[in-house]
Amino acid sequence: MGDPLGMAISHAIASGMGGMRAAGDLVARMQMTRGMKIDQAKAYVADKLSIAVSDLTDPVIMTEIRQDLEIGSMYPLPGRFALPRSWVLTSTASDG
Amino acid sequence: MEKIMTRMGDGFPVEMSESEIRSDLAAGTEDAADRGKIAPLSKEELQYLYDLFASPYRFVSVEPGNEIVLSYDGGALKIVRAAVNVDRVQAMQIHEKILGADTIELGHVDYSFKPVKPIVGTEQTALEQTLMVTHAPLFYGAMPNLGLYSQPDGPHPNPLDLLPLGKIDEARESYEMSVEDAVKDIVFVASAMYDSGADGINMDTTGAAGDPDFLAGLKAAEILKEKYPDICIELGMAGEFILGLHGELDYHGDRLAGMYPQDQVKMAEKAGFTIFGPVVNIKTSRSVPWNLSRAITFTKACCEVANIPIHANMGMGVGGVPMTPHPPLDIVSRASKAMVEICRLDGL
């Protein structure tokens, strides 16, 4: 029990890293896969992304990084991952 | 003297004087220190807590740089329980895209390993569908829930019927058989969900049925870790104290009954758990300053000895959060900030 505004949202705003708005999911993965404590996990992710630890919770900086590296974004990126046009033309030609 | 608005452990507002708050903060930490045989909070930490409660702000937060990651128990179910007409896959998407979740967690509405066993294929399908539309690490969560293994819900004689009759040996034997059955169910379900792609297993509310319940969780984790060396398993507890419902169960020589969080985490490490979630229960008849001071004292002692990440449980009725379905933002934010910053937590 516990409603989402009182529990999940309150903790996310008071203490959370912001999930996919920032780098919360990436830091969580390092705890889960390597058993890293929070400071070590943050330092590891920041190093891999070549940014400062303080940038990990910044949604503006992290949105750009996530889009550049194609590691998941909050909003769809229409057309970004469409098949190359040459693939489609080749397929059409062979069908004909 | 100016009064400070805070709350009782059941969430009701209460006005307290400065001396009353300071007195409750001191009494809360002393209670934990006495019960757990651990150090009380320092003068500086108590002053930090007083300043936090005296703060006029409706909502407070950790300082930049102190943010932690969040994991959930029954996360998706809380949206479904509120009668919002979405299924669990959509609830996961809501957690990831709208609630700022660092991890997400799928669970069955019964939230116990035993009832999931016969429908595990359906759960695997839901998990695989969730993985197709989310990015965040995905836990599958459930409870050992040893109560489901005794009559009338399970096969074994009910120990709580046997104990009043003086049949102590029979009651213990029933618990021991329940442990073995629970371990099989936990390993079966967790293996299926991990094989389907779960990033982690959340064994939640462990110890709810006392030391046999805790033992089942430890034994299952040991088997899972041997089977899948890279598996992530989070252990969420049910309470601050392991009740001795059996009384003589041990894990590799350590008696489980009577353990507090700083001892429980060492068992978790030994069993192979990746993350430990200590619980400190709320006393609804005491103030939040008393409860939060007490909860932080226990949790800090646990963090100081832990070698694995600690995600303290701070849901309704635990970790200094009042026992009410609608936890007030003023108290949840204060509890969240204080627990993270004093204990140096890795997550919640």
Side-chain angles (χ1 to χ4, degrees):
Chain A
M1 293 295 286
D3 69 76
L5 177 62
M7 301 305 312
I9 295 176
S10 294
H11 283 306
I13 296 173
S15 307
M17 290 198 67
M20 274 185 60
R21 295 183 80 234
D25 59 324
L26 305 176
V27 173
R29 279 196 189 278
M30 299 324 298
Q31 288 196 349
M32 294 172 68
T33 58
R34 310 280 177 91
M36 290 179 177
K37 305 282 274 183
I38 187 73
D39 291 341
Q40 188 189 5
K42 284 181 181 178
Y44 182 91
V45 174
D47 182 59
K48 285 288 179 189
L49 298 177
S50 300
I51 58 175
V53 169
S54 58
D55 293 338
L56 293 173
T57 51
D58 190 304
V60 178
I61 292 171
M62 279 308 303
T63 296
E64 290 203 2
I65 290 173
R66 297 189 80 109
Q67 290 186 3
D68 288 348
L69 298 178
E70 299 179 355
I71 52 174
S73 65
M74 290 294 282
Y75 289 100
L77 302 170
R80 179 83 173 255
F81 303 109
L83 287 175
R85 194 160 185 77
S86 58
W87 291 14
V88 178
L89 289 173
T90 304
S91 171
T92 305
S94 65
D95 287 347
Chain B
M1 183 183 291
E2 188 183 354
K3 293 279 189 177
I4 296 166
M5 201 289 281
T6 182
R7 294 181 186 271
M8 297 299 290
D10 60 2
F12 268 83
V14 60
E15 287 190 331
M16 299 176 72
S17 67
E18 175 181 340
S19 63
E20 287 171 333
I21 286 186
R22 287 190 187 279
S23 172
D24 272 14
L25 290 172
T29 191
E30 287 300 335
D31 184 78
D34 181 52
R35 291 174 188 271
K37 307 288 183 286
I38 52 180
L41 298 180
S42 68
K43 281 181 185 172
E44 292 75 21
E45 288 162 340
L46 290 173
Q47 181 63 42
Y48 169 103
L49 286 173
Y50 173 75
D51 292 341
L52 196 59
F53 281 107
S55 160
Y57 299 109
R58 179 169 169 261
F59 194 94
V60 299
S61 76
V62 298
E63 291 182 14
N66 289 345
E67 299 92 344
I68 44 78
V69 296
L70 303 173
S71 54
Y72 301 81
D73 56 341
L77 302 176
K78 283 161 190 169
I79 292 176
V80 176
R81 280 180 196 147
V84 177
N85 290 324
V86 296
D87 71 13
R88 291 180 295 162
V89 178
Q90 293 162 326
M92 297 287 90
Q93 293 178 293
I94 290 170
H95 265 76
E96 179 182 79
K97 295 291 180 74
I98 299 175
L99 304 188
D102 300 307
T103 66
I104 49 181
E105 191 228 39
L106 180 71
H108 182 248
V109 68
D110 211 348
Y111 208 62
S112 301
F113 285 102
K114 183 186 171 193
V116 171
K117 192 174 184 180
I119 56 156
V120 74
T122 308
E123 292 301 276
Q124 286 176 292
T125 302
L127 185 129
E128 289 166 11
Q129 287 179 305
T130 307
L131 287 170
M132 298 285 261
V133 293
T134 58
H135 289 82
L138 174 59
F139 282 96
Y140 187 80
M143 305 184 292
N145 201 352
L146 219 67
L148 294 179
Y149 293 88
S150 57
Q151 296 163 5
D153 299 312
H156 304 300
N158 194 321
L160 298 183
D161 289 336
L162 296 170
L163 286 170
L165 302 175
K167 296 183 176 179
I168 295 170
D169 289 341
E170 291 87 341
R172 282 179 170 154
E173 188 184 352
S174 174
Y175 274 131
E176 288 160 17
M177 291 188 293
S178 295
V179 168
E180 297 310 314
D181 285 350
V183 168
K184 287 177 194 163
D185 290 351
I186 295 169
V187 170
F188 179 88
V189 171
S191 298
M193 304 318 287
Y194 189 66
D195 286 341
S196 270
D199 295 294
I201 301 298
N202 183 15
M203 204 182 294
D204 190 58
T205 322
T206 305
D211 49 347
D213 200 298
F214 189 27
L215 182 62
L218 295 168
K219 283 186 158 188
E222 196 174 291
I223 295 168
L224 286 166
K225 203 68 183 177
E226 191 174 334
K227 192 173 175 185
Y228 307 105
D230 294 331
I231 192 172
C232 166
I233 320 174
E234 178 167 349
L235 174 61
M237 299 303 294
E240 72 229 23
F241 180 77
I242 302 295
L243 293 168
L245 290 179
H246 182 290
E248 291 184 345
L249 294 176
D250 71 276
Y251 184 64
H252 293 301
D254 291 307
R255 184 170 175 261
L256 299 177
M259 281 190 173
Y260 280 100
Q262 73 274 11
D263 304 314
Q264 296 164 14
V265 69
K266 303 318 287 183
M267 299 301 104
E269 289 175 359
K270 201 183 289 186
F273 281 99
T274 317
I275 299 171
F276 179 67
V279 162
V280 182
N281 307 96
I282 277 277
K283 280 199 176 182
T284 54
S285 59
R286 303 299 298 259
S287 72
V288 169
W290 186 90
N291 277 294
L292 185 57
S293 174
R294 181 175 182 275
I296 288 175
T297 306
F298 275 125
T299 309
K300 182 171 176 247
C302 174
C303 288
E304 285 174 349
V305 300
N307 297 310
I308 56 177
I310 301 296
H311 286 203
N313 279 266
M314 294 195 71
M316 179 193 72
V318 296
V321 174
M323 177 67 95
T324 163
H326 306 292
L329 307 191
D330 51 298
I331 288 301
V332 176
S333 67
R334 279 166 175 74
S336 195
K337 172 180 169 65
M339 189 71 88
V340 168
E341 293 189 333
I342 292 181
C343 300
R344 312 304 301 169
L345 285 178
D346 301 289
L348 288 174

